[in-house]
Amino acid sequence: MRFERQGRSQDLDESIQRGQAISLSYPNDSAIIRSLADALCLRFEERGDGNDLDEAIRHHRVALQLTPEGHPDRSASLNSLANSLSMRFKQRGDGKDLDEAIQHHRVALLLTPEGHLDRSDLLNNLASTLSTRFEQRRDGKDLDEAIQHHQLALQRPESHPFHSAWLNNLASALLTRFEQRGEGKDLNEAIQHHRAALQLRPDASLNNLASALLVQFKQQGDGKDLDEAIEHHRAALRLRPDSHPLYSTSLNNLANALSTRFKLRGDGKDLNEVVQHHRLALQLRPEGHPDRSASLNNLANSLSTRFKHRGDQKDLDEAIQHHRVAFQLMSDGHPDCSASLNNLANALSTRFKEQGDGKDLDEAIQHHRAALQLI
C-alpha cells in the first residue's frame, strides 16, 4: 500500500535519523550503510534536495569499500552506487558521474553469473545508463551496446514483474536507433516489442506503441498506422485520471496525433478536438509550470491552423495573445525562443493580410529580425 505523502516523508525522516545515529562510526556492516544511502536517495526523489543525494553517494562509496572483491554483496554495492551516480547526473549533468556509473554497472554485471536472479536487472541498468550517455554524446557504440544488453535482459521468463518494462526499454532504444540510421528492421522490431509489452501492461505501454506507430506512419505513409496510434493515445488518456501527473502529456500526445491526421485528411472534427485537448492541457499547467509556455504555443498553433481553415478572426486574435505570453515566459537563452518569436511574427503577418493594420506588419518584421539574431 502506498503511504500518503506526509506519512511517507515522516517514515523517510525516521529511517534516515536512525541511520545517521550509526553512520558516524561506520561499523563493518555495508548493508546498514547501504540502507541509509537508499533512504537518502528516496528522500531526494521525494523532495529534490541535492545534499541528500551527495550524502547517499558518500555512504555508497563507504559501503563499497567494506565489500572487497569476493564479498557476496559487492555487486549490489556497485549497482547501488552506480544508480545514485546516474541520479545525480540527471540532476546536474556532470558527465563524470555518468561515466563512473557505467563503469560500476559493468563490474557489477561481471560479478553476477548467468542464471543469477539479479542479472537481468543489472543488464537493464547498464543498458539504461548507456542509452543516457548516447543521448548526451551521440556515440552509436553506446546505443548498440545498450540494445544488446536490453535483449539479454529479456531472456528471463515473461512472468517476471519487470518484463513489460524491459520490452519497452528495448523498443525505445531500437526506435532511437531507427531515427539515427533509418534501418526499417529496428522500427519493425520496436513496434513488435511495444505490442508485446501492451499485452502485459496496457497502462504503461499504450503511449509507447502509439509513438512508434506515428514514426512508422511518417516513414511509410500508411494512414492505418496513424489511426491506430490515435486509438492507443485515446485509450491511454482514458486510463489516467485528471489528477495523474502525466495527464497533460497524454492530452498533448493525442492532440499532436490528431493534428497530423487533420493535415492528412482535412477533417475539421480532428482540428476541433486538437484545440480542445490543448486548452485542457494548458489548464493543467498553471502559472509557474515549466511546460506552460510549450502548452501556450501548442494551443496558439492549433488556433492559427483553425483560422486558416475557417477564417474565424477570434481564433487568430487568441493565437496571437497566446504566442505573446508564451514568449514572455521563456528565459533568455531558451532553445525555443527563436521559434516562439517566429510563430508570433507569422501570426501577426497573417492578421495584417486580413485587416491591413501596418502595426501588425511592423511588429512581425521586428520579431522576425529578433528571431534571426537568436539562431
Side-chain angles (χ1 to χ4, degrees), residues 53-54 57 61 82 84-102 129 132-133 136-137:
L53 187 54
D54 290 337
I57 290 171
R61 291 194 191 282
S84 59
L85 286 164
S86 293
M87 203 178 294
R88 189 166 70 180
F89 167 77
K90 292 175 182 176
Q91 187 198 37
R92 302 177 191 171
D94 187 342
K96 292 179 182 178
D97 282 339
L98 185 58
D99 291 337
E100 186 182 352
I102 290 171
T129 51
T132 299
R133 190 166 71 178
Q136 295 296 314
R137 302 177 190 173

Side-chain angles (χ1 to χ4, degrees), residues 166-198:
W166 293 339
L167 281 166
N168 273 318
N169 290 342
L170 172 57
S172 296
L174 286 164
L175 189 59
T176 298
R177 190 165 69 179
F178 166 76
E179 292 169 345
Q180 290 293 312
R181 303 177 191 173
E183 177 61 59
K185 292 180 181 179
D186 284 337
L187 178 58
N188 292 336
E189 188 179 346
I191 291 173
Q192 175 187 344
H193 291 315
H194 278 315
R195 290 193 190 281
L198 183 63

